[in-house]
Amino acid sequence: MSTTRSAHPSTRTRSGRPPRQRHAQAKEHHARTQAAAGQSGKGGKTGTRRWSHEVMEKSDALDLEKGIFRNGSADEIAQSLKRSSLASRRRKGTPFQSAMSMLNFYINRAGKNLPKTQRTTLERAKKKLREAFGRTP
């Protein structure tokens, strides 16, 4: 009488490969599909997805003046954010919450790429924004 021994279901799949081999196989498949789509690895410029840009364009974010974060003083940025948040019908929270959220979103997405001078301007804009909405601590 022969006894056939089957592998435990959690260790093998229909392909009969153990988990580590399946993982390596998945990585290879991912690399092939990225190459076929014209996307390079991390940090590549060709075919990269800009989800943060899509958030700014399509979400319930504020309709901001173009280039306001790059070309303005702290006071101009705060006043522009206030105007945009009061005028917007797409926001979900209060005007102050929406304006501060967009400012923080921009700072966080820029990360280490944000020059120190611009970062200090944007941090001052936060203070000005609090003052503009009467929320000084």
Side-chain angles (χ1 to χ4, degrees):
M1 187 162 186
S2 72
T3 58
T4 56
R5 190 174 154 166
S6 63
H8 190 272
S10 66
T11 59
R12 299 207 182 255
T13 63
R14 275 187 268 167
S15 67
R17 295 180 185 264
R20 287 188 185 177
Q21 290 177 355
R22 287 195 316 265
H23 180 71
Q25 197 176 25
K27 283 177 83 172
E28 290 171 9
H29 174 72
H30 181 71
R32 282 193 307 269
T33 57
Q34 291 292 322
Q39 294 179 349
S40 59
K42 287 184 179 179
K45 291 287 183 191
T46 55
T48 56
R49 290 177 42 208
R50 295 175 53 198
W51 69 266
S52 57
H53 179 74
E54 189 173 333
V55 167
M56 297 287 281
E57 294 293 321
K58 297 180 181 176
S59 75
D60 285 332
L62 300 177
D63 296 317
L64 302 174
E65 295 175 19
K66 194 157 185 88
I68 187 61
F69 293 120
R70 283 184 242 118
N71 302 332
S73 68
D75 200 39
E76 289 173 355
I77 292 170
Q79 291 305 315
S80 173
L81 284 169
K82 183 177 180 181
R83 277 193 305 274
S84 296
S85 66
L86 290 172
S88 179
R89 297 288 167 242
R90 297 193 306 156
R91 62 179 158 74
K92 291 182 180 179
T94 66
F96 173 73
Q97 287 173 328
S98 296
M100 188 61 78
S101 174
M102 288 307 295
L103 186 52
N104 282 320
F105 178 78
Y106 183 81
I107 293 169
N108 291 339
R109 287 309 302 157
K112 293 178 182 176
N113 298 326
L114 191 63
K116 193 169 186 174
T117 55
Q118 191 176 5
R119 182 177 299 276
T120 55
T121 301
L122 294 173
E123 291 297 330
R124 274 190 271 127
K126 282 185 185 182
K127 292 177 184 173
K128 296 283 187 179
L129 189 61
R130 286 186 192 100
E131 290 172 7
F133 278 99
R135 298 211 178 194
T136 54

